[in-house]
Amino acid sequence: MDTYKDLGLVEDADVGHPWFGRHRLRPAAPAETIRRMLRHELRDTGWPYQRLLPAAPMAIPRASYAEVFRAALALTELLRRTALETGPTTADRLAAYRMPGTEDRLWLADPFTEERYADCVVRPDLVIGPDGPRFLEFNVSGALGGVVETQSRLSVWRRLHADADGRTPFGSHSPFAVRAGMFRSLAAERGVAPRVAVVGSARVNGVERRYFEMEADHYNSHGLTARFFEPEELHEAWDCAPHLRHGIGLRNFTIPDWLEVGLDTAPVQDALDNGCLLVGTQTSTFMHSKVTMGLLSEGRPWMTAAERALVDRYLPWTRVLAERKTEREGRTVDLLPFVLENRELLVLKAGLGESGKQVVIGREVEQAGWESAVGEAVACGTSIVQEFVAPQTCRVALIADDRDEPYEADVAPVLGPLLFGGRPAGLFCRFFGDGSAGIVSVRGHTSSSDNVTVAV
């Protein structure tokens, strides 16, 4: 089979932004076979039904793939330092961020351990702008979306595209394999047995038990001992014989999600108090807040010239919203009047939020709506404004429910590099199959789809 198609050889073809490269992978099976395999892998996980599915992995040049992780790792370290410097103690940081009281829980007794393992699980979101990658936000939490999805998509593509010797024409990290390596290292560092507790709940909206058990099953078949715990079962991770304790684990939930369905976080606190380290720790919430990105974009006194250049290269102009002065393109501006007068250039984001919630794209609302949203954000004091980045497109092969064959479309993907324990762990991507751009949530749009991005 001719594995690659060189889009650059298609006469008069608009192949999208050069960063995506000229080559893509051809579909390796009939549409119905691919459709069936993709849906089988994510069955019974809570992942929504998708009318549009990818027909092959999204391929980018190896240099582009490496650039994403190189920049993501460097920016994550700067983000971590920025978050910790907002205050010398947890209490100081809670005050500086104006964190809601619901987030003031699930802390480890040892502050150093609490801070040390905050950034174990990270997934930035980025788009390719006119000048290349731009990181729009950093999701720092053990409950990241995209991990199971990337593992599942990658499993299908490897089976379909591998040759007789098991070799594939693309490269990609495996999320579960890298995360298993993180837990082995964590167990060795902590001096405990490699027994992993995957903590979450199938009672949260949009997720089922198999979603968690897939990861635990992978660990159990690759040299670790793992178990999925619902909160009421979690005492069994520590209130048992010493050789049966689960001393490390994944905190695969968010406090707001649990509170929304009436789940008690007290069993998690009991596990933490009895020696179970669940990553990422609660300190990750400071890194997760978009306020931290605003502080980093504005610049910190300790940054070197090289770090400043890195931030300018990969972060869009981002500022914590308040009535104050700041720098914009080499000049000093009054931030609030500038924001009110330039809605088409900007995006307004709450400090905490997920799945595109609490985000207002200036060019998509009327001036009155923009002014109202900005006024509310200023009053809260925990929002940012960010320069709008026009997402660039690439060409992909898709499968639709109403078509018998794959077809080509231009999409504007949001890329999500997975980072576990500071190591690359796969490149999640999501997009609108109809070619539109904006806040891409697979759960919120009929043409939304997801895939794994690989290097060729």
Side-chain angles (χ1 to χ4, degrees):
M1 177 182 292
D2 183 9
T3 304
Y4 298 105
K5 181 175 182 180
D6 189 336
L7 297 178
L9 298 181
V10 180
E11 187 174 358
D12 299 326
D14 179 8
V15 298
H17 194 279
W19 188 90
F20 292 106
R22 301 192 310 170
H23 296 86
R24 68 169 172 81
L25 293 160
R26 295 179 183 274
E32 181 54 34
T33 299
I34 298 172
R35 182 187 294 119
R36 173 178 50 79
M37 292 177 70
L38 289 173
R39 288 181 175 153
H40 179 77
E41 279 298 316
L42 280 170
R43 70 192 183 282
D44 302 327
T45 62
W47 198 237
Y49 182 88
Q50 294 175 357
R51 182 177 61 84
L52 298 174
L53 290 170
M58 181 180 290
I60 60 176
R62 292 185 181 275
S64 297
Y65 187 90
E67 180 187 17
V68 165
F69 286 104
R70 186 171 64 248
L73 288 165
L75 290 170
T76 296
E77 178 54 35
L78 295 177
L79 201 75
R80 167 188 166 82
R81 186 171 178 184
T82 299
L84 294 180
E85 69 144 5
T86 58
T89 68
T90 293
D92 293 323
R93 293 174 204 131
L94 287 167
Y97 280 86
R98 302 187 190 182
M99 280 288 175
T102 53
E103 294 292 338
D104 187 11
R105 64 181 75 188
L106 305 186
W107 305 101
L108 293 169
D110 177 16
F112 179 80
T113 304
E114 173 67 46
E115 296 173 8
R116 168 71 178 81
Y117 298 108
D119 59 349
C120 284
V121 186
V122 182
R123 193 207 74 213
D125 283 341
L126 65 115
V127 298
I128 305 307
D131 299 319
R134 292 292 183 273
F135 288 75
L136 304 183
E137 64 181 45
F138 286 78
N139 303 286
V140 188
S141 165
L144 295 179
V147 180
V148 172
E149 299 78 8
T150 297
Q151 181 76 23
S152 297
R153 300 297 192 218
L154 188 60
S155 176
V156 171
W157 303 139
R158 283 177 171 162
R159 293 203 301 273
L160 286 175
H161 291 266
D163 64 15
D165 296 316
R167 295 171 300 191
T168 59
F170 58 80
S172 174
H173 300 89
S174 169
F176 284 179
V178 176
R179 192 131 79 178
M182 177 190 76
F183 281 123
R184 288 190 188 92
S185 296
L186 188 58
E189 194 172 307
R190 301 287 295 167
V192 298
R195 299 174 62 85
V196 180
V198 177
V199 182
S201 178
R203 284 164 284 178
V204 170
N205 295 326
V207 66
E208 297 183 27
R209 189 175 182 92
R210 184 171 178 268
Y211 182 87
F212 305 102
E213 291 180 337
M214 284 175 66
E215 186 161 2
D217 289 347
H218 179 91
Y219 296 158
N220 283 320
S221 63
H222 287 80
L224 296 171
T225 299
R227 177 184 164 187
F228 165 53
F229 291 89
E230 287 274 0
E232 64 273 12
E233 303 167 337
L234 192 51
H235 67 94
E236 298 174 21
W238 57 269
D239 189 13
C240 56
H243 70 284
L244 298 178
R245 291 174 184 166
H246 293 69
I248 54 176
L250 179 68
R251 181 176 147 170
N252 203 341
F253 67 91
T254 69
I255 293 173
D257 281 348
W258 274 24
L259 296 182
E260 183 180 1
V261 295
L263 287 173
D264 189 4
T265 61
V268 180
Q269 189 66 65
D270 288 341
L272 298 176
D273 292 343
N274 284 277
C276 185
L277 171 62
L278 301 178
V279 296
T281 61
Q282 182 63 16
T283 296
S284 66
T285 306
F286 299 123
M287 294 180 64
H288 182 80
S289 172
K290 298 173 185 68
V291 168
T292 309
M293 195 173 170
L295 296 172
L296 180 59
S297 174
E298 194 154 4
R300 315 312 302 157
W302 43 262
M303 290 173 65
T304 67
E307 290 167 340
R308 176 74 265 177
L310 178 82
V311 168
D312 291 343
R313 170 69 182 83
Y314 289 106
L315 295 191
W317 182 87
T318 307
R319 293 295 185 268
V320 179
L321 183 59
E323 295 188 49
R324 63 189 182 91
K325 294 183 182 297
T326 190
E327 184 178 334
R328 167 73 177 177
E329 296 181 341
R331 62 187 181 92
T332 300
V333 298
D334 288 316
L335 182 57
L336 188 54
F338 173 82
V339 170
L340 292 173
E341 295 167 6
N342 293 277
R343 66 176 174 81
E344 293 191 355
L345 301 177
L346 301 170
V347 179
L348 176 66
K349 301 180 179 182
L352 296 179
E354 46 188 59
S355 299
K357 300 172 184 176
Q358 300 89 33
V359 176
V360 181
I361 299 176
R363 62 184 60 198
E364 295 183 0
V365 298
E366 299 296 330
Q367 183 65 24
W370 177 251
E371 292 178 0
S372 176
V374 169
E376 293 177 6
V378 171
C380 291
T382 58
S383 295
I384 63 162
V385 286
Q386 186 175 81
E387 183 177 11
F388 176 80
V389 180
Q392 305 298 290
T393 63
C394 63
R395 184 158 297 173
V396 298
L398 298 177
I399 299 171
D401 280 355
D402 57 356
R403 295 199 186 191
D404 295 329
E405 299 294 335
Y407 67 97
E408 295 184 351
D410 293 319
V411 301
V414 176
L415 304 178
L418 300 169
L419 305 170
F420 302 149
R423 288 171 282 190
L427 186 51
F428 181 54
C429 71
R430 57 196 193 276
F431 51 85
F432 292 133
D434 60 9
S436 59
I439 302 167
V440 184
S441 174
V442 175
R443 298 184 183 275
H445 197 288
T446 58
S447 72
S448 297
S449 188
D450 69 283
N451 201 355
V452 57
T453 302
V454 299
V456 296

